[in-house]
Amino acid sequence: MINLKYRFPLAILLWGSLCAASASVKVNDPSCGEMANFHFACFGPIELSGGGQYGGFERSWQAGEPIGEILTLGDLENFGVGKFRLSDMITKGGGNFNSISIGQFPLIASQKLKDLVPLLGLNNMPASQFPGLESMPKDMTLSQALEQNLLLGDSPLTSLNIGGKPLSAIPGLYNLSLSSLPGWNNQKLAQVPFFESIPLSKMPIPLITNNTGIFRIDALRNQEGPQQRTISGSDLQGWNVACSGNCDYVELDDPENIGSSVSLPPEGVRWISGKKQNVEGGSGCLRWANGGKEPTGRLPFGSGFKVALWDISPASGKVTSKYFVRACNICGCTPYFIGPFPGPVYKENEDIFAGFEGLSSIEAGISSIQPLKSPSTQQKQVFNSGNTGSAAIASANSRTDTDLNNNSMSSSSIQQVAPSIQPQNNSIALSWSVQRFANALGSVDYAAVSPYLCRDEVCGYRIGMYQMWNQSRMAQVPPQLTQSEVTQGQIQKYFPKNFQEKAFQAYLERLDTATAAEIDPFTKAPFSGEREVQRIAQMYYGGEGAKIDADIPILGQGSLLQHSRNFLELYRRRA
C-alpha cells in the first residue's frame, strides 16, 4: 500500500518559490506566489488563438487575451460559483459592496425590473422609493407600477439612469445568490467586479490546497520509446495513460532532497508531455468538442484547471508547464483544451506538484482498455484551437497516441468482499457493479482524506480509498471519523483496508436498494441497467437524498448530473 504523506506548510512554501520566478503569475502581485491565494487574475494571457462552435455552443479567443475575457461564470460549475451571495463574492475579492456602482456590474445593470422586483421581494414596496422611480405616485407599489406599465417591467436598470448609484441603493440586492440572476452564467469573469481577485481556495467549492502530492524531477527525456509507467492522462481516461512512442517526459521520484516524510510510488514514474500527446476528455453534450481530446496532464488542484508539462529540454535541464481550462454549459463540459496559459518553469531536481490520482495504479499495475468511439461524421462539428502552426492543439484530431489505460486499483481486493448477488428484475448484478464501480471511481489511498467540504448545511470529509462521505447515514463510517476533524492517522486506526472494502460493498448495496424503490423519469419504470448505475453514482456523490438528474454543484466534483454522466462513460468501459 502506498503511504501518501505530505506536509501542508512545505507545500505552500514550494508553491511560492516555484511561482515567484515564473511568467505564469503576476510577479508584482505577491498573493500569486501563495497557493492558498491563487486567483484567476494570476493567470498569464493565453498563448494561442482559437475557438469555434459545437452543437450551437460557441466560444472564441485571441492570443494575448486574459483568462477573464475568455471564461464565463458558467464555465466554473466545478467551483460552485452560482452559490455566491453578491456581497460575499465581492468581499472575498477584496472589494466593498457599498462602493461599487450599478453601472460597474453589467449583470445587475442589465436586469429587468419584472425579474428583479419579485426576486428581491419588493412587490409591495412604494415604487417611489426604488432608485430611478422617485417620480412615481407615493401610494403606488412596485407590483402595481409594473402591472400598469408593461414596458417598465421589460426595462433594464440602465434605462432608469441609475448607473452611478451604488449597488446598496437597491434593497436586498446584497443577499441575492449569483445563480438567481437571469443570464448570470453567460457573464465573462472580467465583467464581474472583483471576481478575478477571489482566491480559488475561497470559492464555494474550493481549489484543493492541502491534498497535493509532491515529486522531485529526477530526469528529463526526449523522443523515447513506449512508456507504460505514467501518471499523466485525464479525469475521463484515467491517470496512467501510456505513450506509444516518440515520448517526451519527465521522470519523477520522491522529494528526498528536501527531507520530507513523503513516501510516493516506485521510482521512475513518467509524466508525459502534453505537447506530444492528447488524451480523452470532456463530458455530456460537449464531450466531443475538439474531437474529444485534450493535452495529457494532471489535475493536482482539482478540476478548475489542468496542468500539462510542455517543452522538455534535457540539454538545459528545464521543463515548461502550461495550464488549460474548459468551457461548460448546462449539459456538459468540453475537454481541457482552452489554452495554453503559461505555467511555471521547472528545473531538474526541483519539486513539482502532481496530486494523488492514479498513484495506486502504478503499484497495482496498469491494464489497457479500449478508447471511446468517436461520433459519426454528421455529429462532428468544429471546436478546435485556431492556430494551425501549433502542433500541440490544432492537430488534436489526427493523433493516435491515445491508448487508454485503467487508472483503478487491482480488482482482486474488491472481488474478495463481493460475493455473488443475483439481480432482481432488470437490476444490475451488484457483485459486478461493485468491482466496476470501484474501477470507475479510480483510486486514491486507504488513508486519504479530502479538504473540509460542506453539502448544504452539513460539513465533513470524503475519506479512504473510496472517498466515502463521513456524514452519510448509509456509509457506516466509524463514529470516531464523523467528528469535525479527521486525520490520516485516525483513518488508519479506525478504518483499515478490510473495513473500508466491506463498508464500500455494503454502502453500494444500500444505494442499490434505495434506487430500486425509485422511478426513472425517462422510462416511467424502476431504474435498471446503465440508468441504475448512473443513479447510484448520483446518490454516491450527491448524497442519499440527491434529486434525480439534478444539475447542482456537489462536493469537489462539479455538477452532479455532469459527473454522473462522466462516471457512466467510465463504468461502461471498465469491466
Side-chain angles (χ1 to χ4, degrees):
M1 182 180 72
I2 301 168
N3 183 19
L4 300 178
K5 299 179 180 178
Y6 57 88
R7 292 178 178 175
F8 181 45
L10 174 63
I12 295 178
L13 177 63
L14 287 172
W15 174 264
S17 64
L18 293 173
C19 289
S22 169
S24 68
V25 299
K26 297 180 178 178
V27 294
N28 59 340
D29 184 348
S31 65
C32 289
E34 299 177 9
M35 179 164 53
N37 292 324
F38 194 78
H39 47 277
F40 282 109
C42 293
F43 280 81
I46 197 167
E47 296 178 343
L48 296 175
S49 299
Q53 60 86 28
Y54 186 91
F57 186 68
E58 298 184 5
R59 189 67 57 87
S60 64
W61 55 91
Q62 298 296 320
E65 274 192 295
I67 195 169
E69 295 291 346
I70 300 170
L71 291 184
T72 67
L73 293 176
D75 294 331
L76 306 182
E77 52 85 27
N78 48 286
F79 285 117
V81 298
K83 288 186 174 183
F84 264 134
R85 289 195 319 156
L86 296 184
S87 58
D88 290 343
M89 177 184 69
I90 291 171
T91 299
K92 287 184 176 182
N96 186 328
F97 186 82
N98 297 323
S99 63
I100 298 173
S101 70
I102 294 170
Q104 291 175 314
F105 200 158
L107 177 61
I108 301 301
S110 65
Q111 292 300 306
K112 295 180 179 180
L113 281 173
K114 67 178 183 181
D115 297 323
L116 198 57
V117 167
L119 195 58
L120 293 170
L122 301 179
N123 289 322
N124 296 322
M125 177 183 177
S128 60
Q129 294 181 15
F130 193 89
L133 301 180
E134 290 85 358
S135 61
M136 288 282 186
K138 303 294 183 182
D139 60 347
M140 179 178 289
T141 66
L142 278 171
S143 62
Q144 291 170 338
L146 297 179
E147 288 173 4
Q148 294 180 21
N149 188 342
L150 297 181
L151 290 178
L152 178 63
D154 285 324
S155 301
L157 294 183
T158 51
S159 67
L160 302 180
N161 297 318
I162 59 173
K165 290 184 177 293
L167 294 174
S168 55
I170 301 177
L173 185 65
Y174 73 96
N175 202 34
L176 284 186
S177 66
L178 193 58
S179 61
S180 67
L181 297 167
W184 74 276
N185 53 316
N186 296 321
Q187 296 293 299
K188 290 185 177 179
L189 308 191
Q191 296 175 307
V192 183
F194 292 94
F195 185 87
E196 292 180 89
S197 300
I198 301 172
L200 302 187
S201 62
K202 294 185 179 179
M203 293 288 181
I205 300 175
L207 177 83
I208 298 173
T209 60
N210 63 345
N211 196 24
T212 304
I214 304 169
F215 288 78
R216 180 176 61 84
I217 297 175
D218 192 43
L220 309 179
R221 308 292 185 192
N222 278 156
Q223 299 179 339
E224 298 283 334
Q227 303 297 318
Q228 295 292 328
R229 297 181 65 252
T230 76
I231 60 164
S232 49
S234 68
D235 55 354
L236 177 62
Q237 188 171 335
W239 300 109
N240 311 113
V241 179
C243 176
S244 61
N246 191 30
C247 306
D248 291 2
Y249 62 88
V250 165
E251 194 168 305
L252 302 175
D253 194 2
D254 291 357
E256 54 199 37
N257 62 321
I258 57 176
S260 170
S261 61
V262 179
S263 179
L264 292 171
E267 296 182 0
V269 293
R270 276 80 161 143
W271 184 339
I272 307 296
S273 165
K275 188 174 183 178
K276 299 291 288 287
Q277 182 190 44
N278 271 5
V279 290
E280 306 280 352
S283 64
C285 66
L286 298 181
R287 163 73 179 88
W288 295 106
N290 199 49
K293 305 294 185 182
E294 63 187 47
T296 193
R298 293 186 64 78
L299 299 175
F301 308 110
S303 56
F305 58 92
K306 187 171 189 177
V307 179
L309 299 186
W310 212 244
D311 291 305
I312 298 174
S313 173
S316 66
K318 295 180 180 180
V319 54
T320 63
S321 67
K322 305 295 180 184
Y323 298 144
F324 288 85
V325 294
R326 61 186 181 178
C328 298
N329 65 15
I330 193 170
C331 67
C333 292
T334 70
Y336 291 92
F337 81 102
I338 301 176
F341 296 90
V345 176
Y346 299 95
K347 298 179 182 178
E348 201 165 357
N349 286 319
E350 283 188 341
D351 299 296
I352 187 171
F353 295 105
F356 291 148
E357 295 91 344
L359 301 189
S360 295
S361 304
I362 295 294
E363 192 172 56
I366 303 171
S367 57
S368 298
I369 55 177
Q370 294 300 312
L372 291 171
K373 293 182 179 179
S374 297
S376 65
T377 303
Q378 291 78 7
Q379 290 175 307
K380 285 187 177 180
Q381 301 182 49
V382 177
F383 201 137
N384 297 315
S385 296
N387 191 327
T388 56
S390 169
I393 306 299
S395 62
N397 292 327
S398 65
R399 298 192 183 180
T400 58
D401 187 14
T402 55
D403 298 335
L404 292 173
N405 294 275
N406 190 342
N407 75 323
S408 67
M409 62 174 285
S410 169
S411 61
S412 59
S413 60
I414 296 295
Q415 292 172 325
Q416 291 172 7
V417 295
S420 177
I421 300 176
Q422 296 300 321
Q424 297 178 354
N425 300 325
N426 292 324
S427 175
I428 57 175
L430 194 59
S431 60
W432 184 244
S433 170
V434 170
Q435 178 184 342
R436 295 178 69 180
F437 203 97
N439 286 346
L441 281 176
S443 55
V444 189
D445 182 73
Y446 285 104
V449 56
S450 76
Y452 194 58
L453 303 167
C454 293
R455 175 192 292 151
D456 298 325
E457 297 181 356
V458 180
C459 299
Y461 302 88
R462 288 196 176 280
I463 62 174
M465 174 66 77
Y466 307 111
Q467 292 291 278
M468 289 187 284
W469 178 234
N470 73 333
Q471 302 299 322
S472 169
R473 294 179 292 105
M474 293 186 180
Q476 290 189 337
V477 171
Q480 296 91 339
L481 302 180
T482 61
Q483 308 305 313
S484 59
E485 183 175 351
V486 176
T487 67
Q488 289 184 317
Q490 290 175 320
I491 295 174
Q492 292 172 327
K493 180 178 180 180
Y494 299 113
F495 207 27
K497 173 181 176 180
N498 60 325
F499 283 24
Q500 288 188 35
E501 291 174 349
K502 292 177 181 178
F504 177 69
Q505 180 199 358
Y507 184 38
L508 284 190
E509 290 178 11
R510 295 186 187 96
L511 293 184
D512 185 56
T513 299
T515 300
E518 296 181 322
I519 299 298
D520 187 337
F522 290 103
T523 64
K524 309 301 181 185
F527 282 94
S528 63
E530 291 187 346
R531 278 290 288 169
E532 183 174 11
V533 173
Q534 184 178 8
R535 178 57 183 150
I536 291 175
Q538 291 173 6
M539 297 174 76
Y540 190 89
Y541 286 104
E544 295 84 7
K547 293 182 179 179
I548 297 172
D549 297 329
D551 189 33
I552 57 174
I554 55 173
L555 301 177
Q557 301 288 343
S559 161
L560 177 59
L561 178 58
Q562 169 227 325
H563 196 72
S564 68
R565 287 168 174 162
N566 195 4
F567 179 91
L568 184 57
E569 286 195 78
L570 291 173
Y571 182 92
R572 288 186 183 118
R573 298 178 290 127
R574 296 190 171 179

